[in-house]
Amino acid sequence: MSTPDDLEGQFTLLTAVARYDALRTRDALAAPLDEDDAATASPDPDEVPLTRSEALEMLALGEVIARKAAYGRQLSVRSARQARASWSQIGAALGTSKQAAWEAHNRWIDEQAQQPDNPGHWGWDEDDVTAARMLAGEPNEEERA
């Protein structure tokens, strides 16, 4: 069975989305089979329902995509801060409050600080975490323009 942890290292965001889209499209196009239809099922592979393994892979890929997109979002937040965006501006771009955006980013920094403890992940050292926290600043600081 495919799990997000198994698949995360095998796929980039782009390849995970492509595989998910292929499975999702096939799932949407396939006519459900009942026992009477099994003998006369279409040989077209695009119309064959997903196997249990493929359906579980599609679910796991959805989680991989969510994880990779969330990581990419926080990299974009960091880039916005480097470009002198305020937390109000970042919150607006994310469709949330400045406080929620700041809190999510700080949780992400905390996660990066923990990654060296997880095999297969790089994570950040103490200097990286300190630099990230300095860049993040506080949500109530004056607008950066």
Side-chain angles (χ1 to χ4, degrees):
M1 180 178 91
S2 299
T3 68
D5 291 338
D6 294 337
L7 298 178
E8 198 164 8
Q10 297 175 27
F11 288 92
T12 65
L13 179 57
L14 186 61
T15 59
V17 168
R19 175 66 176 153
Y20 177 87
D21 188 51
L23 291 170
R24 187 72 200 117
T25 299
R26 195 173 112 216
D27 188 45
L29 294 176
L33 294 178
D34 58 25
E35 292 175 21
D36 295 333
D37 293 335
T40 60
S42 169
D44 185 346
D46 290 336
E47 295 179 11
V48 176
L50 299 180
T51 64
R52 177 185 310 150
S53 177
E54 290 169 326
L56 292 170
E57 178 187 4
M58 186 173 62
L59 285 171
L61 283 167
E63 177 60 23
V64 168
I65 292 164
R67 289 179 185 182
K68 289 184 180 284
Y71 186 82
R73 177 186 311 132
Q74 294 310 318
L75 290 175
S76 297
V77 167
R78 186 176 66 179
S79 294
R81 288 296 290 172
Q82 287 172 332
R84 303 189 50 76
S86 70
W87 282 107
S88 292
Q89 292 166 328
I90 292 168
L94 294 173
T96 190
S97 70
K98 66 181 179 182
Q99 184 71 31
W102 181 83
E103 288 173 2
H105 191 66
N106 276 278
R107 280 191 303 274
W108 177 75
I109 293 170
D110 292 341
E111 290 168 9
Q112 299 317 300
Q114 299 302 318
Q115 289 303 318
D117 296 336
N118 296 332
H121 292 87
W122 289 349
W124 293 351
D125 64 23
E126 209 171 295
D127 292 338
D128 295 328
V129 172
T130 299
R133 292 206 190 286
M134 287 183 64
L135 180 61
E138 294 294 327
N140 294 323
E141 69 186 17
E142 194 169 309
E143 296 296 315
R144 300 180 103 199

